[in-house]
Amino acid sequence: MPPTSGIPPTDLEDLWERLGRIERRVRHAVALRRDTDPQPDDPFRGQYLTPAAAERILDSRDAFLPVPVPASAQGPGATPDSPAGGRIAALAERFGLVEPDVDLLLVAMAPDIDARFERLYGYLNDDLTRRRATIDLALELCGLPAAGSGRFRFSPSAPLVAAGLVEVLEADRPLLSRVLRVPDRVTAHLLGDDEVDGRLHGLVRVAGPEEEPEKAPAKAPEDGPDLCRTTLRVVAALGTGSGLVHLLDRGGDPGRLAADALLAAGLRPLVVDVAALATAPDPVRTAQILATEARLSGGGLVLGPLEALAPEQPKGAGVIEGLCEAVGGGSPLIMYGKKHWDPLWAAESPVTVHVLPPDPADAARRWHRELTAAGSSTGLAAGTAAAGARLTDATRAYRLDSGQIRRAAAVASRLAALESRPVEAQDLRTAVRAQNGAGLARLARRIEPTVGWDDLVLPPSTRHQLSDLALRARHREQVLGRWRMRPGGGRGRGIVALFAGESGTGKTMSAEVVAADLGMELYVVDLSSVVDKYIGETEKNLERIFVEASDVNAVLLFDEADAVFGKRSQVKDAQDRHANVESAYLLQRIESFDGIAVLTTNLRANLDEAFTRRLDVVADFPVPDAQQRLALWERCLGTEIPRASGLDLRTCADRFELTGGSIRACAVTAAYQAAESGRPLDTEQLVSAVLAEYRKLGRLVLDSEFGPWLERTRRGD
């Protein structure tokens, strides 16, 4: 055969040579089979099995015979029978099996271990196409009555079937003629394989000491007394009753805590992907497989956050109930979420444990460990990636779980490795922003801050209020979380600020500066996507925004907030009543918010007075004075635009009372005029831009303000 086009001849020659070797092996096997077959030319071969042929099968090789081991290779005190029954005994104990159940399981499993049993079972079934044990055959081989209690060992509630150890197939047939099958995972477990069931691929991951060594409390006493105390409480809860535990997330890391507790109890943590479970074709069947896997491996299940299952919906509640029922106390089940447990979710209520925010010192230690591990894997020198005091300060405002810290540390280390330098604070901030989900970006406009404190021109009092906002954001976990300085009333650990001042005084820019100082992104809420004419839809839209904002490290900005957070009025009609309902909802929701929110308004008097008590910081943005206006002119014009020698910015600052936003607009307009004229920017062009801004704002043009430039600009017009 000529070589195939595009394939080197040497590759084809190697392929043909290997296929030839396989063919020779097949020919040899056929020859051996014919030598031992008394009727090699039987035309009905394979369609029946004679008693003599059954005897020959029984006399052939035995897959169950152990490989002989020399006595010298056995350990002291070992006997040939010592390993027997180890896993079988453990399986019987975990699943509550009695001796007849074990015998029935082994009968059903035999064809999966030795292919001879396929033909033998076909012979005994009087049908070579049915090569697995039927219920009748299994009961016969185990000496159990088919017409008595034996058949009930394969009922849906029997241990073998309920636990998923044996599957009863062909439900349309009579009970005794139904075929039995043992899942591959059960067979593999008894043969010594501890890999997770292949049917759970992409649904479960094993969190063990080799993945995150610091998770085991016994090996990490530096995690802090509070964390160890909470972990031990969860361990104690696992040993009571059904082992069902609910971790109520109050800003901590419940997923990590659940793995801690299972490891401390000597169990294998099986972390379930909630999104994959919710979209499984048959969640009830998947829950059964999860429960079987947990029992087989001697582990416990970790499920969360429960909000991803939408437990308030029948389907989500059904998944939770199905998993709780499938586990049935056979193995621990730890579920976590931010919502309180609803008794309607399952027949049995769990033990609830509150998970508080981690101590800042514990978070710093985790950053140090993860950065050190990530640095070694990316090739950074030892200690290069370790988190020092400056890096600890850079991450103080973030709320991250252990998985997010691990991923952020890996990204930061890779960014530093690209330039062969130590990890810097900016690397951590970039890596943390990469952990923010895209959910909030679909509801608000995302801005990556590009300004800093030096770009602000504000009175000292306003700058102090902005600094106070950043300070609160950095230390809120310690003050509100660990010290519990905001107890009771369902109050969250959020920070809410109000920026009040005229348009153009720098409110939005200040929010961007605060976000940049905290290393976060700024999300500006588009009120047009929030306010809805239909009753109740505005509250739903705001709720989605608040929920998404609570889970990201970002600053949420409500621009022109008085449009949503307005005063409640006297009820005169149905429209007033529903408007008051919206305001009342916002009063409650803003108080339970766990993120960082900034409200801006041009008219502070339009806000409901009840919001004032719920605000942490109120910053007033006055119209800039002459000195501040001069600084604004200098910053807005920058250093790149050519300036005429007679450009008089001092006079412009003294004469024209403009806000920062208007000064920036005037600077841009003047720059366009200078570009068109081809000469450096002069005072006349600047005043012409101011005049255009006055007209745009509808302000009076007075001779006392413009002086001699007014007539010049008019002649220019």
Side-chain angles (χ1 to χ4, degrees):
M1 178 183 298
T4 304
S5 176
I7 303 179
T10 53
D11 292 348
L12 285 177
E13 292 174 0
D14 181 64
L15 175 61
W16 305 144
E17 196 275 332
R18 291 177 180 272
L19 290 176
R21 274 186 281 174
I22 293 177
E23 181 185 3
R24 289 192 291 272
R25 293 175 185 174
V26 172
R27 290 179 179 275
H28 180 67
V30 170
L32 291 178
R33 186 70 56 85
R34 288 182 63 86
D35 290 342
T36 58
D37 192 346
Q39 296 178 330
D41 299 323
D42 186 354
F44 300 103
R45 179 179 179 80
Q47 299 183 26
Y48 68 96
L49 191 67
T50 63
E55 288 292 337
R56 287 196 302 274
I57 294 175
L58 292 174
D59 292 339
S60 62
R61 63 179 179 83
D62 192 344
F64 300 131
L65 290 179
V67 178
V69 180
S72 59
Q74 299 181 10
T79 64
D81 297 332
S82 58
R87 292 214 168 202
I88 294 178
L91 182 138
E93 180 180 358
R94 290 172 184 169
F95 289 89
L97 304 181
V98 295
E99 193 62 29
D101 292 326
V102 175
D103 291 340
L104 291 171
L105 174 65
L106 296 179
V107 167
M109 188 178 63
D112 295 309
I113 300 178
D114 192 334
R116 298 178 308 148
F117 283 87
E118 287 190 85
R119 300 181 66 190
L120 294 173
Y121 283 178
Y123 176 75
L124 295 174
N125 288 327
D126 197 22
D127 186 352
L128 288 185
T129 63
R130 299 170 62 78
R131 297 192 167 202
R132 289 189 175 273
T134 61
I135 292 180
D136 181 59
L137 177 59
L139 295 176
E140 177 186 348
L141 294 176
C142 296
L144 298 174
S149 60
R151 62 189 296 135
F152 298 112
R153 295 191 181 275
F154 294 103
S155 64
S157 60
L160 285 176
V161 179
L165 297 177
V166 173
E167 298 175 352
V168 181
L169 308 179
E170 301 176 339
D172 57 328
R173 285 178 171 267
L175 178 66
L176 294 179
S177 61
R178 295 174 187 174
V179 171
L180 301 177
R181 179 184 178 275
V182 177
D184 294 342
R185 175 66 183 99
V186 178
T187 304
H189 171 75
L190 292 177
L191 293 177
D193 186 358
D194 290 325
E195 288 293 326
V196 175
D197 196 324
R199 294 171 293 180
L200 299 177
H201 178 71
L203 185 68
V204 170
R205 67 176 180 87
V206 179
E210 69 282 356
E211 179 178 324
E212 293 175 285
E214 73 279 5
K215 282 190 173 182
K219 297 183 180 180
E222 71 275 11
D223 277 346
D226 290 339
L227 181 61
C228 289
R229 191 182 306 114
T230 307
T231 304
L232 294 177
R233 180 175 176 81
V234 177
V235 173
L238 293 175
T240 60
S242 62
L244 186 62
V245 178
H246 176 237
L247 303 182
L248 186 59
D249 185 8
R250 287 294 177 255
D253 189 357
R256 174 176 179 266
L257 178 62
D260 282 347
L262 291 173
L263 288 171
L267 301 173
R268 188 186 194 191
L270 300 175
V271 182
V272 182
D273 187 330
V274 178
L277 178 61
T279 58
D282 188 356
V284 176
R285 174 62 177 159
T286 305
Q288 177 63 67
I289 299 174
L290 285 170
T292 303
E293 176 62 37
R295 285 199 194 183
L296 281 176
S297 59
L301 295 173
V302 179
L303 180 69
L306 295 180
E307 292 79 13
L309 288 174
E312 65 278 0
Q313 302 295 330
K315 181 179 179 181
V319 173
I320 297 176
E321 182 179 10
L323 187 58
C324 293
E325 184 179 351
V327 172
S331 56
L333 173 59
I334 304 179
M335 296 176 285
Y336 63 88
K338 295 183 178 180
K339 292 185 177 181
H340 286 271
W341 181 266
D342 190 336
L344 298 178
W345 293 350
E348 183 174 354
S349 296
V351 175
T352 298
V353 178
H354 290 249
V355 183
L356 300 178
D359 187 88
D362 175 61
R365 283 190 291 268
R366 277 190 281 164
W367 274 109
H368 178 87
R369 288 194 295 266
E370 296 297 348
L371 284 171
T372 302
S376 61
S377 64
T378 53
L380 293 178
T384 302
R390 58 187 177 82
L391 297 186
T392 301
D393 291 338
T395 59
R396 192 180 297 274
Y398 300 137
R399 301 176 61 190
L400 303 170
D401 58 29
S402 56
Q404 290 174 317
I405 290 178
R406 183 174 62 255
R407 293 190 295 270
V411 173
S413 299
R414 292 172 62 188
L415 291 174
L418 287 175
E419 302 179 10
S420 301
R421 57 169 175 76
V423 174
E424 299 177 354
Q426 187 58 37
D427 298 326
L428 292 182
R429 290 172 171 174
T430 302
V432 170
R433 287 197 296 267
Q435 307 307 311
N436 288 339
L440 186 57
R442 292 191 291 267
L443 305 170
R445 181 164 52 92
R446 180 176 180 175
I447 298 176
E448 187 170 344
T450 57
V451 293
W453 292 104
D454 294 337
D455 297 305
L456 289 179
V457 179
L458 294 171
S461 60
T462 305
R463 290 182 68 96
H464 176 74
Q465 290 164 335
L466 296 180
S467 299
D468 182 49
L469 173 59
L471 179 146
R472 287 171 177 265
R474 286 193 184 91
H475 300 284
R476 60 175 172 150
E477 297 299 342
Q478 181 173 351
V479 175
L480 302 181
R482 307 300 297 183
W483 294 350
R484 304 182 186 180
M485 298 299 293
R486 190 182 285 179
R491 297 177 178 88
R493 291 182 301 279
I495 306 295
V496 183
L498 173 66
F499 293 173
E502 291 187 17
S503 177
T505 51
K507 302 184 294 297
T508 302
M509 185 177 179
S510 297
E512 187 176 348
V513 169
V514 172
D517 183 65
L518 297 175
M520 299 180 179
E521 293 171 322
L522 180 68
Y523 286 85
V524 181
V525 177
D526 185 3
L527 295 182
S528 64
S529 64
V530 173
V531 180
D532 197 295
K533 65 179 180 179
Y534 294 104
I535 296 174
E537 291 301 317
T538 300
E539 292 90 329
K540 291 180 181 179
N541 294 335
L542 286 169
E543 178 64 21
R544 284 194 291 267
I545 291 175
F546 281 125
V547 170
E548 291 287 348
S550 298
D551 295 332
V552 300
N553 291 283
V555 177
L556 187 64
L557 175 63
F558 287 91
D559 207 2
E560 307 294 344
D562 49 314
V564 181
F565 297 81
K567 284 186 176 181
R568 289 168 289 183
S569 60
Q570 183 178 359
V571 176
K572 297 180 180 179
D573 53 26
Q575 185 175 359
D576 292 337
R577 183 173 68 253
H578 291 299
N580 288 347
V581 169
E582 290 181 6
S583 297
Y585 160 76
L586 287 170
L587 285 171
Q588 298 173 0
R589 192 61 181 86
I590 203 71
E591 195 167 30
S592 62
F593 182 52
D594 283 339
I596 304 174
V598 175
L599 317 178
T600 68
T601 180
N602 299 341
L603 298 172
R604 180 176 175 180
N606 286 353
L607 289 178
D608 196 300
E609 294 178 358
F611 279 110
T612 305
R613 180 179 61 83
R614 292 163 169 82
L615 298 173
D616 298 290
V617 176
V618 177
D620 292 310
F621 288 76
V623 176
D625 57 23
Q627 189 64 31
Q628 293 168 353
R629 290 196 296 270
L630 177 60
L632 286 169
W633 278 113
E634 289 287 354
R635 290 172 185 254
C636 291
L637 289 175
T639 59
E640 299 297 328
I641 183 173
R643 303 184 186 185
S645 58
L647 181 64
D648 190 0
L649 294 180
R650 168 62 68 177
T651 300
C652 291
D654 292 339
R655 285 179 174 268
F656 308 123
E657 294 185 1
L658 296 170
T659 63
S662 296
I663 290 175
R664 182 169 58 249
C666 292
V668 173
T669 301
Y672 277 114
Q673 294 179 4
E676 174 65 20
S677 65
R679 66 177 189 270
L681 179 68
D682 55 24
T683 306
E684 183 176 344
Q685 292 171 335
L686 208 58
V687 173
S688 177
V690 173
L691 180 60
E693 185 69 14
Y694 266 49
R695 291 170 177 170
K696 183 176 69 175
L697 297 175
R699 295 175 58 175
L700 293 176
V701 179
L702 304 175
D703 291 340
S704 59
E705 283 186 281
F706 286 85
W709 289 293
L710 183 59
E711 186 63 29
R712 296 179 195 173
T713 54
R714 286 174 177 172
R715 289 199 304 268
D717 291 344

